[in-house]
Amino acid sequence: QRPLVQVSQGCITVLNVLLSLDSTALSLSDLARARELQTSMQTTSKVTQACTLTSTDDVWEVLEELLKCGEVHLALQWFYHSDLINVEHSSNMLLLIGQLLLELLERGQDVSAQELLQLLPSELAVQICESILARAQSVSCLQQIVHFLQSQVTKPSQALRYTHYDIGIHMLNHIPWQEQEWYRDLASQPELLVEQLLMSTRISTLEEILVALRGRLSSLPPGSPLS
């Protein structure tokens, strides 16, 4: 890792560091975007708070600023470049990692998100995924999080909870995407989603869902509300 020089504007220096890396670290489009953002910050003072990159806290502050700017891929490169995986993580740091992971998933960058999860200690990865579960906006993002959590299950109660989530997600996938947001909060309780569809007289949709999920529903344990 290269030594970090004391600077007055953290994110501008982040971009300077990223732009100085080998071409394998960033694609041409990333480099162009980094230069564009760098110029924007210098001319509009987008980052107003002085930041001195001499401590771990400062490095995390830069990550936060990049995420606030919506520069998710640059934030990911900074995360790896600064080796932020191999440090002791405070609660605020875990929130930032969760935000980075969530932004990647919401943007469909599933491969990058999975690579990040694989590099984290499993207990930490589970903790972070649990923390962002309720904040996932898209069904695809929610599905990726639940699938990872299912792969890390150690208790029967956890397995049942994530199975219910998985069934709820599959139900949402049978609902037109324009309407999925209406039912998104019921993904973890598919029995309530069934009730809501009945109340909305979405009988044909419900029949289609039940046919598609017959195998999954039949494998549920007796204690499940859907069994």
Side-chain angles (χ1 to χ4, degrees), residues 95-112:
L95 286 174
L96 282 177
I97 298 175
Q99 186 62 33
L100 175 59
L101 179 63
L102 187 62
E103 295 286 353
L104 288 169
L105 290 171
E106 291 288 8
R107 285 166 168 75
Q109 298 180 30
D110 299 345
V111 174
S112 295

Side-chain angles (χ1 to χ4, degrees), residues 63 67-68 70-73 75-76 79-80 93-117 120 124-125 127-146 148-149 165 184:
L63 178 67
L67 288 172
K68 285 180 180 178
E71 299 299 331
V72 180
H73 189 63
L76 181 64
F79 183 83
Y80 288 140
M93 292 172 183
L94 293 181
L95 286 174
L96 282 177
I97 298 175
Q99 186 62 33
L100 175 59
L101 179 63
L102 187 62
E103 295 286 353
L104 288 169
L105 290 171
E106 291 288 8
R107 285 166 168 75
Q109 298 180 30
D110 299 345
V111 174
S112 295
Q114 291 298 327
E115 289 174 349
L116 176 58
L117 283 172
L120 292 168
L124 190 62
Q127 182 181 347
I128 290 171
C129 283
E130 279 283 1
S131 71
I132 64 174
L133 198 54
R135 292 159 50 201
Q137 296 298 310
S138 67
V139 175
S140 61
C141 174
L142 182 62
Q143 190 167 35
Q144 290 292 331
I145 297 171
V146 169
F148 176 79
L149 289 170
Y165 251 117
R184 160 64 185 78

Side-chain angles (χ1 to χ4, degrees), residues 43 54 59 69 80 92 106-107 110 112 116 147 155 176 216:
T43 56
T54 56
V59 178
C69 293
Y80 288 140
N92 286 338
E106 291 288 8
R107 285 166 168 75
D110 299 345
S112 295
L116 176 58
H147 282 179
K155 300 177 182 178
R216 292 175 183 269

Side-chain angles (χ1 to χ4, degrees), residues 55-103:
S55 72
T56 302
D57 289 342
D58 294 326
V59 178
W60 285 96
E61 185 175 349
V62 170
L63 178 67
E64 182 177 13
E65 291 294 343
L66 284 171
L67 288 172
K68 285 180 180 178
C69 293
E71 299 299 331
V72 180
H73 189 63
L74 292 179
L76 181 64
Q77 296 303 322
W78 178 250
F79 183 83
Y80 288 140
H81 175 70
S82 301
D83 199 23
L84 296 182
I85 289 178
N86 297 313
V87 298
E88 186 175 347
H89 299 102
S90 68
S91 57
N92 286 338
M93 292 172 183
L94 293 181
L95 286 174
L96 282 177
I97 298 175
Q99 186 62 33
L100 175 59
L101 179 63
L102 187 62
E103 295 286 353

Side-chain angles (χ1 to χ4, degrees), residues 135-192:
R135 292 159 50 201
Q137 296 298 310
S138 67
V139 175
S140 61
C141 174
L142 182 62
Q143 190 167 35
Q144 290 292 331
I145 297 171
V146 169
H147 282 179
F148 176 79
L149 289 170
Q150 283 182 306
S151 72
Q152 304 296 314
V153 162
T154 57
K155 300 177 182 178
S157 59
Q158 291 176 329
L160 183 59
R161 177 172 177 247
Y162 298 143
T163 297
H164 283 174
Y165 251 117
D166 186 55
I167 289 173
I169 290 167
H170 277 81
M171 292 175 70
L172 289 174
N173 280 327
H174 283 81
I175 297 172
W177 66 267
Q178 303 95 322
E179 303 173 17
Q180 288 178 358
E181 185 179 352
W182 304 347
Y183 305 99
R184 160 64 185 78
D185 292 340
L186 299 177
S188 62
Q189 298 174 289
E191 71 279 7
L192 297 183

